[in-house]
Amino acid sequence: MILTALLALALTPQTLPREVRAYVARRDKCDHFRGEDSPDEARQKEIEAATIRFCTGADRQLARLKRIHAHNRAVQRRLGRYDPRIED
C-alpha cells in the first residue's frame, strides 16, 4: 500500500521536471488535434494549424527527453505513454 502511494506520487505532474511537464501539455494538445476532424472547412483549417503548432518537433523532443531523463523512472513511465513516431 505504501509502495502504491509512492508510485502515485512519483507520477503526479508536479514532480516531473519542468521541461517534461511542458512537453506533456504540448503533446496532449497535439494528440487532441491529431484525433479531431471536421466537415467544416474553416474548423478543419484551425485543426490543421493547431496540429502543426503543437506537433512539429514532437518526435525529436520526445526522444531527447527520454535520453536526458533515462534514469528517471517517473519520467520514462509518463513519456512512455506517447507514440514515438507521429511526424512521418
Side-chain angles (χ1 to χ4, degrees), residues 63-75:
R64 178 183 159 276
L65 290 171
K66 283 183 171 184
R67 191 173 51 254
I68 290 170
H69 300 285
H71 300 293
N72 185 326
R73 289 183 192 164
V75 169

Side-chain angles (χ1 to χ4, degrees), residues 1-80:
M1 190 147 116
I2 293 173
L3 180 58
T4 303
L6 290 174
L7 285 174
L9 179 61
L11 292 175
T12 60
Q14 297 80 9
T15 60
L16 296 172
R18 185 178 47 134
E19 66 182 337
V20 174
R21 290 192 316 262
Y23 177 81
V24 165
R26 180 176 162 224
R27 179 60 187 263
D28 287 349
K29 289 175 186 173
C30 165
D31 289 347
H32 167 80
F33 286 106
R34 282 180 44 226
E36 189 173 340
D37 210 9
S38 177
D40 178 66
E41 187 176 329
R43 177 63 184 149
Q44 187 60 38
K45 286 182 181 184
E46 291 174 0
I47 293 166
E48 291 168 6
T51 300
I52 290 168
R53 177 179 175 201
F54 295 116
C55 298
T56 300
D59 293 350
R60 187 176 61 251
Q61 188 178 15
L62 178 61
R64 178 183 159 276
L65 290 171
K66 283 183 171 184
R67 191 173 51 254
I68 290 170
H69 300 285
H71 300 293
N72 185 326
R73 289 183 192 164
V75 169
Q76 293 299 315
R77 276 192 297 270
R78 185 62 180 98
L79 295 178

